[in-house]
Amino acid sequence: MPAVPEGYRSGFACFVGRPNAGKSTLTNALVGTKVAITSSRPQTTRHTVRGILHRPQAQLVLVDTPGLHRPRTLLGQRLNDLVLATLAEVDVVGFCLPADQPVGPGDRWIAAQLQPLSDGRRGTPVVAVVTKTDLVTRDRLAQHLVEVAELLPGADVVPVSATGGQQVDVVEEVLLGHLPEGPPMYPDGELTDEPEAVMVAELVREAALEGVRDELPHSLAVVVEEMGPRPAADGGERADGMLDVHVQLFVERDSQKGIVIGKGGSRLREVGTQARAGIEALLGVPVFLDLRVKVAKDWQRDPRKLQRLGF
């Protein structure tokens, strides 16, 4: 390991907020590459995603989490539990509040969950990150910043537009300033610790979420069943390194299966084309992608099915 510069900082930062608050988009903007899938649909993120920033004087591990919400299913409760457990393990919390939505009961509930952290023995700092500033006028943004400051008195408040690249560097600077001194935790150049199979499944789910009805995103789960090199005709290794990737998409009802597949399989082919491009960019080799859609009735409420699907 190379020598660590004097005063080097390292640690974990967690983004929390209501569903669709811009947490994953901001994570990707800070890391500089796509490590978390994004969608206009709420509750896109279903597990913690780590993105790693490497700087000459610091290393910041960003933990993107599912949106905190009032759970209606066992899956929703498990996602909330995952977020609350993550909060207890980080050095600084970024509370994302979208500028295009008023501060509401959901934000106040999250602020109440964060209060014991900032008041506790460790005193975990909370940074209010006002996202999506490009979607509102200056006057509306100013009003929103006042509301956020009243919600989180004493906290740093940073407005940012992750899609427009405005103030992303300021968010980074503020988060780094809250990290303790310590050596790096990941090798230089490593941008995420997500297993490849998990990232492949997420890319398929992201593609499948595009342009579907409101009720489907919550009912869609994706699992990579098998992934490995495709053999050449003589049984040896192919020169291009092509991978066979077999993926199962699970929905809760037969009607949802029809939505995902589309007329004559047209929708599923679109999903495969979009997902394959992302997977090939991720893995750096050509991919044969096999997608199958199955019904797992009411899987969000069934403990055994949830376990099989990785929750």
Side-chain angles (χ1 to χ4, degrees), residues 15-305:
F15 285 137
V16 298
R18 286 182 286 140
N20 205 23
K23 301 181 294 296
S24 298
T25 303
L26 181 55
T27 297
N28 291 337
L30 284 162
V31 176
T33 192
K34 185 171 189 166
V35 295
I37 70 169
T38 59
S39 169
S40 60
R41 305 294 180 178
Q43 297 178 32
T44 300
T45 303
R46 284 190 175 156
H47 63 289
T48 56
V49 179
R50 290 184 178 88
I52 306 160
L53 278 74
H54 302 271
R55 299 295 181 262
Q57 292 293 326
Q59 183 182 87
L60 173 64
V61 183
L62 288 167
V63 186
D64 182 26
T65 62
L68 277 169
H69 62 290
R70 188 182 299 277
R72 298 179 180 177
T73 64
L74 180 57
L75 171 64
Q77 184 58 59
R78 290 190 176 179
L79 294 181
N80 273 5
D81 291 344
L82 177 64
V83 177
L84 295 175
T86 302
L87 290 175
E89 300 173 351
V90 298
D91 300 290
V92 56
V93 175
F95 182 5
C96 294
L97 302 103
D100 64 334
Q101 301 173 34
V103 173
D107 297 310
R108 286 188 280 273
W109 181 80
I110 295 172
Q113 308 307 305
L114 297 177
Q115 190 67 42
L117 285 174
S118 56
D119 292 344
R121 185 174 59 184
R122 286 182 57 204
T124 305
V126 175
V127 176
V129 183
V130 176
T131 58
K132 307 185 181 184
T133 58
D134 56 307
L135 301 182
V136 297
T137 64
R138 285 190 176 185
D139 289 344
R140 174 65 194 118
L141 177 58
Q143 180 183 346
H144 191 74
L145 292 173
V146 171
E147 294 171 0
V148 170
E150 292 174 349
L151 178 68
L152 299 164
D156 294 325
V157 180
V158 186
V160 63
S161 169
T163 56
Q166 299 160 356
Q167 297 241 125
V168 174
D169 57 336
V170 179
V171 174
E172 176 187 320
E173 182 181 349
V174 172
L175 295 177
L176 290 176
H178 287 294
L179 298 184
E181 290 190 8
M185 293 167 285
Y186 290 89
D188 190 34
E190 190 167 330
L191 299 179
T192 183
D193 62 359
E194 286 293 288
E196 286 183 347
V198 172
M199 297 187 73
V200 166
E202 288 290 89
L203 288 169
V204 172
R205 188 162 66 91
E206 180 181 47
L209 287 174
E210 291 300 317
V212 296
R213 298 177 189 171
D214 290 340
E215 74 273 11
L216 181 59
H218 310 291
S219 300
L220 181 66
V222 179
V223 176
V224 174
E225 295 287 343
E226 187 178 355
M227 187 165 68
R230 166 166 280 210
D234 60 2
E237 294 185 3
R238 289 174 57 111
D240 60 3
M242 174 175 275
L243 289 178
D244 281 336
V245 180
H246 299 273
V247 177
Q248 299 276 10
L249 292 83
F250 292 91
V251 293
E252 294 188 294
R253 296 188 296 277
D254 285 326
S255 60
Q256 295 170 339
K257 182 177 179 179
I259 293 172
V260 175
I261 294 175
K263 186 175 181 180
S266 59
R267 174 72 189 129
L268 193 61
R269 285 194 293 272
E270 291 176 5
V271 171
T273 299
Q274 180 179 333
R276 187 184 303 110
I279 295 168
E280 289 180 341
L282 170 70
L283 302 179
V285 294
V287 166
F288 172 80
L289 181 61
D290 175 53
L291 301 179
R292 304 294 172 94
V293 185
K294 290 187 175 182
V295 176
K297 186 174 174 58
D298 294 329
W299 65 263
Q300 293 186 78
R301 295 169 172 81
D302 187 318
R304 284 183 294 182
K305 290 176 182 175

